[in-house]
Structure formats: structure tokens, C-alpha cells
Amino acid sequence: MVKVIYLTIVLAPLIAAAIAGLFGRRVGRAGAHSITILGVSVSFLLSLYVLKAIAFDGAPIFNETIYRWGAVGGLSMEIGFLVDQLTVLMMTVVTFVSLAVHIYTIGYMHDDDGYQRFFSYISLFTFAMLMLVMSNNFLQLFFGWEAVGMVSYLLIGFWFKKQTAIFANMKAFLVNRVGDFGFLLGIATLLMFTGSLDYYLVFGEAERLSGETIQILSGTEWSVLSVACICLFVGAMGKSAQVPLHVWLPDSMEGPTPISALIHAATMVTAGIFMVARMSPLFEYSQTALSVVLIVGATTAFFTGLLGIVQQDIKRVVAYSTLSQLGYMTVALGASAYAAGIFHLMTHAFFKALLFLAAGSVIIGLHHEQDIRKMGGLWRHMPITYWTALMGTLALIGFPGFSGFFSKDALIEAVHLSNTPGANYAYWCVLLGVFVTALYSFRMFFVVFHGKERIDPSVREHLKESPAVVTLPLILLAIPSVFIGWFTIGPILFGEFFGSSIFVLQDPGVVEQLGDEFHGPWAFILHAATASAALYLAAAGGLVAWFFYLKRPDLPERFQERFAWCHRVLENKYYFDWFNEKVIAKGVRSTASSLWRVGDEMLIDGIVVNGTARSIGFFSGVLRTLQSGYLYHYAFAMIIGLAILLGWLVVGS
């Protein structure tokens, strides 16, 4: 019965995707969205049931093989599920956000010709993500990993007639291939030294592997576990958009807004965070790997957040906030505060999906206008969108009592207590990032919903609140964005919720140290108000945004002129795209062109193929001259041949 439940959770979205995709014309638009919403609803309700059973009723952890499809020597390749506390939390979050996005899509994509195809894609995406989080072995993990990448490619380039969409999905595909190559190397390293792809068998070898070394370069010994974990993290850097593999995510905004919410809130970009947390028994034995994770995450958290300040596209502002928050989660993983990272992943999924869908509601109301400079004063016309966007913004900046406050503040304090090399740098990055987050979040909020109306008059005449099918998901996501932190901070962060699904070598860990001072949500808020700088930095960021964009809207332009070089650097995104396009991409194209001209045209075609043909032609011509048909020519040739033969015999004797 248990296997049937887990198979149903995974297969329901897949079957729905197949029906909507293959039989879309027969079932129609209503049939496509009905069957996919039904499939995701079944997965969500069953995920809730499993969450209750495992997390609250004490049901045993499920770790079994479902199907063995191959064996090579002693290596078994299997499909199986590992459903523990960490898994079931991810299952619930993924299916809930996916369900909200499915409902929202009915309103957002109602005029699109690819309506059925879109529902098929997002349902297939849900299946791929469930396969990833429920896997109990590296092979299935890699399948889910690549599957979400494949479907994201289809979704980002959904409007495939747009050149920018084609460029964006190709960029996402190529950047993720870099990360996935590292991920595959990490899996291969573990396979080589353990002979297994099963999680538990590999985890059981972690302590032994911590003493093993590998020689990559002659004369240099590397820790096997450090190499494997860093390679695995390179995969996470691609999927979870960490510097320098972050460049694909802002461009992926070319896809429809529901995709932005689905991919960039609770699913694909959090896959890397989940993977590192799942691999905690490996990472804990490599201080080097943890330090790399910590520093990369801190750099992403602060420096990508700065980019959100200069963005004018409403979706790109939210996209850069996603980059920054993913950096926060990664920092927590590097500080061995896995519970804090997953807790922030959960709260972030709700309020970030809310913000993306609220941005989509604004875009619908303004007839697909995305430039915030052409908005303003929308609170009068779109009250539901306004209030839900405000709730999402307050959760994002960490306003006391909102879900983001509990997870972000706990995360910052955990980093402060960490002894991992680079923790001091990481602490200041995430602390200053609080100010930056509040600044760009309220900048967008004030410019879009307050101030002077800058809306096109023709659009202004028809401006109204989005339909119920759009606003309902906003309300559904706003509820956990506000309240879920109150009920979950105790059991998830400081309780025994995760049990053995997360391993921390240090005893007590940084989260446990924080837990010693936890006396309930109200006490947590009071502590933050009296002993934490984060709350005041968030307030300062909000006040600066209010003063700059409502009170004195002329000041941002003055600052832009005064610090033109700084604005130029931020506007060009630290020149990462320039470097990738002008140096890496151009270098690869030049190298390929040279290899083509020298290797293909000159060596293969010129020497091997054409050269061989010309050589045969030359010798054929020489031989043809001997076949003249004149008797005296043949006699002359015979005389010459006899002379050579006699000469050889004389010399030889």
C-alpha cells in the first residue's frame, strides 16, 4: 500500500502531462488544465498524508527499491524511493506551489495558442522534481536532475518564436551543462571509491573516504571526499544559480510568468540546496568543501542582490532577489546549518512564488507591460494584488512575524556562530544583504504600486484587478507567507523534525546552539529586536527606498549621474555576460573555427581525402604513359628492366 501511494504521488503528474501533451486537441483547453490540476492535486494531498504519517505519527522511513533495471558486475542500477522527513517536506512544498501555479496559469495563459502544451510541460516538470527529491540513489537523482533541466529548457523557450527566448533557453541549457558535468564527475568519484550508487551505502563509507586521497595532478594528493563534494556542489551552483554560474537565471524571465514562479521559487533552483542537504553525511567530513559552499553562497547573497537595485523589469527584480536568497540558503549549508537552509527554502518557496505571481498579475493588468518606470499608483486599481504583494515583500525582507523573518534571522545567527573558514566574510555579506534586500524590494513595491501614475492612457482605461483564477493563488500563497513561520520554527528548526535525514558532525551544531536560547516565536522576535542588527538594517533599507522613490524621486537619478561608474558596473551585471560572450563563447567559436579550417579543411579534406585522390591521380597518370600501345615502347621498357636486373645481380655478387 505504501509503495502504491509513493508511485501515485510521482506518476499522477506524469500521466496528466502525457494526456495533456499527446491528446491536447482531443481533451481541449478545459480538459488539459483539469487533468493536470487533478494530477498535481492528488500528489499534493498524498504528500500531506505522508508528511503527517512520517513527521507527526512516527511512521517508519521508507527506503526501498521499486525496480531494478540493470546490473553491471557488482553495480546495481535501480529506481527506488527514500522518503524521510527531508524528502516529505520537499514533496509537500513542491506540489503545493505547483498546484497554485497550475491554477494561476488558467488565467495567465488563457489566450495563448500553446495552452495545452504549457500545462503538459509544467506537470511534467513537477514529475521530474518529485523523482529528484524522492530518489534513494545517485542514478535516479541524476535522472531527475537532468529531467528538470530539460523541461526548464522547454519552458524558458516556450515562446520559441521570440529570439530573446531562444537565446535565454540556450543560455540556461549551456550554463547548466557546465554544472551538470561537475555533478557527474562527483557521482563518478564516489562510485569509483565505493562501488555503489545507493545513498546509504555511500554515506556509510564517508568516514573512511575522509582519509582517502586521489592524485589528479602528478605529485599532488587531494582528499577524495573534498573532490567529490566540490564537484557535486558545482552541479548545485548550476541548478541553484550560484556565482559564477548564475547568469542564466535572470534571462530565464523570457518564459511565461508562471514558469518564473515554478522554476525560481520552489522547484528547480532549490534542487541544488536540497542535494547538498541530502549529502550532509559527505560534506560534513570535508571542511574544504563546506568552506567553498560558504564563500560562494555569501558572494551570491550580497553581490547579486546589488544588481536588483538597478533593474527596471519587474520580473528581473524578483529574479535577482531569488539569486540573493539562494545565496542565503547556500551560506547556511556551508555553516553546517542545514536545517536553517531548508527552513529558509520552505518559507522562500511561498513568498517568492507569491511575488512572481503578483508580478504576473500586474503584467496582466497592464497588457504585458513589464517596465516598472511605466507603472505607479496601482494600489487603487488592483487591491488584492497590492496587499498580497505587500505580504510577500514583508516576508522577503524579514519583517518580524512574517515567515521570512524567522528563517532569515535564524540563518544569519547560525552563520555568526559558525567556525567554518570564511564564516566571518559570510556573516557580513548576509548581514549587509538584509539592507540591500529591503532596498530593492521596497523600491519595486513603491515604484509599482505607489507614487505618480505613469501608465499608458490606453491601458489605463481598461486597468482592473485580475480575475479570481489569478488572485486565488495569490491568497493561497499569502497565507503561509505570513503565518507558517509561527508554527514551524520550533519543530523544523530547533526540534527533532529532520531526525536522521540530516547529519551534522559537530556536537552541538550551530542550530542546536541557537536552540538553547529559543523560547518560542515571541521570544525570538524580541531577541531579534534587541540583539540583532538585521532587523534595523531591513528597516533602514525600507526607509531609504521610501525616501528615494516616494519622497525625493529625483535623488536616484542624481546618484546615478554622480556614481555613473558604479551604476555602469551593476547595469552590466559585473560584466559576467560580457566575459562569457566575448571571451569564453567567442574563444570557443574561434577555436572551433580554427580546428575546422586546419583540421577539417586542411588536414582531413586537403591532405587525407583530396591529397589521397591527387596522389592516386598522379601515379595513375605516370602509369598511363607506360601503356602507350607502341611495340617499341614496350621493348625499350624491357631493355631498361633487364639492365636494372643485371646491374643488381652484378653488384650483389
Side-chain angles (χ1 to χ4, degrees), residues 440-511:
Y440 67 67
S441 298
F442 271 110
R443 167 185 175 263
M444 183 187 74
F445 183 79
F446 290 143
V447 171
V448 171
F449 292 103
H450 290 276
K452 182 182 177 182
E453 289 189 7
R454 300 171 299 278
I455 308 168
D456 186 275
S458 61
V459 175
R460 170 68 177 79
E461 293 177 7
H462 306 284
L463 183 58
K464 60 180 180 179
E465 183 62 89
S466 299
V469 74
V470 171
T471 56
L472 177 62
L474 297 181
I475 296 169
L476 291 176
L477 288 166
I479 295 170
S481 297
V482 177
F483 298 110
I484 199 163
W486 290 89
F487 307 106
T488 56
I489 184 172
I492 290 181
L493 196 56
F494 302 118
E496 299 295 327
F497 178 87
F498 288 111
S500 61
S501 62
I502 287 176
F503 174 77
V504 179
L505 190 61
Q506 182 183 343
D507 189 23
V510 290
V511 175

Side-chain angles (χ1 to χ4, degrees), residues 171 244 247 575-586:
K171 188 175 183 179
V247 293
Y575 295 95
F576 274 104
D577 283 337
W578 179 89
F579 181 81
N580 290 335
E581 292 172 19
K582 302 296 183 182
V583 178
I584 296 179
K586 192 175 181 179

Side-chain angles (χ1 to χ4, degrees), residues 552-572:
R552 292 289 304 277
D554 60 303
L555 287 180
E557 191 172 337
R558 292 187 183 181
F559 269 83
Q560 181 178 332
E561 294 175 356
R562 180 66 183 270
F563 301 99
W565 64 270
C566 184
H567 185 271
R568 190 159 50 251
V569 170
L570 294 177
E571 202 169 45
N572 286 282

Side-chain angles (χ1 to χ4, degrees), residues 241-252:
Q242 299 295 293
V243 173
L245 301 182
H246 68 287
V247 293
W248 67 270
L249 191 141
D251 289 276
S252 66

